[in-house]
Amino acid sequence: MSESIYAIRGATTVEFDSVSEIDNAVKEMFSEILSRNSISEEEIAFVLFSQTSDLKSRNAAAAVRKAGYCASVPLFCVQEAEINGMLDKVIRVLVQVNHPKNGEPKMVYLNRAEKLRPDLKR
């Protein structure tokens, strides 16, 4: 099977800006991405997180490391652009993968972030 380079997108939300809520939400989202796409960390080139400016207690990249993921994967976290009417308390992720592609990548949108991609309902 030939390998492909592709990206997997995802997002989640938290109700409150707290270390524990961000840690739990990021762990849930990242484990779902790995599971739904049958990928291992060795197949990940890098992970880019963004989070809305109302989340200040924890960096999503730190949360994924705390959860035990991505010990040797490059991670980067940026602040999401502020747009009028945007969803609040959102953490987004872009995972670049080098993996044998079995069909279309499965994107993961959890909690209130499901509103961002209604076309991807579980």
Side-chain angles (χ1 to χ4, degrees):
M1 192 178 293
S2 66
E3 292 191 355
S4 300
I5 296 173
Y6 61 96
I8 300 167
R9 295 266 308 139
T12 191
T13 58
V14 295
E15 291 305 311
F16 302 100
D17 178 23
S18 74
V19 170
S20 63
E21 284 220 21
I22 293 171
D23 285 350
N24 292 334
V26 169
K27 180 180 181 180
E28 177 189 29
M29 177 179 61
F30 201 77
S31 66
E32 282 290 315
I33 287 171
L34 295 178
S35 175
R36 290 186 195 181
N37 289 282
S38 300
I39 57 174
S40 67
E41 288 187 37
E42 294 78 26
E43 298 163 317
I44 298 173
F46 71 86
V47 180
L48 173 65
F49 291 97
S50 70
Q51 55 194 71
T52 52
S53 63
D54 51 6
L55 298 177
K56 299 180 185 308
S57 63
R58 170 76 87 189
N59 175 304
V64 84
R65 288 224 201 275
K66 183 179 180 217
Y69 295 111
C70 299
S72 61
V73 175
L75 305 176
F76 196 73
C77 188
V78 298
Q79 182 176 314
E80 188 76 27
E82 292 189 31
I83 307 297
N84 290 335
M86 68 190 286
L87 192 59
D88 66 332
K89 297 180 184 71
V90 178
I91 301 164
R92 299 174 199 259
V93 66
L94 175 69
V95 181
Q96 184 171 330
V97 178
N98 186 17
H99 174 276
K101 199 170 180 183
N102 297 325
E104 289 301 309
K106 295 168 184 69
M107 310 307 169
V108 174
Y109 288 79
L110 303 174
N111 304 311
R112 291 181 300 115
E114 289 180 337
K115 295 176 188 173
L116 299 171
R117 292 296 306 267
D119 56 315
L120 299 176
K121 291 277 186 200
R122 295 191 221 192

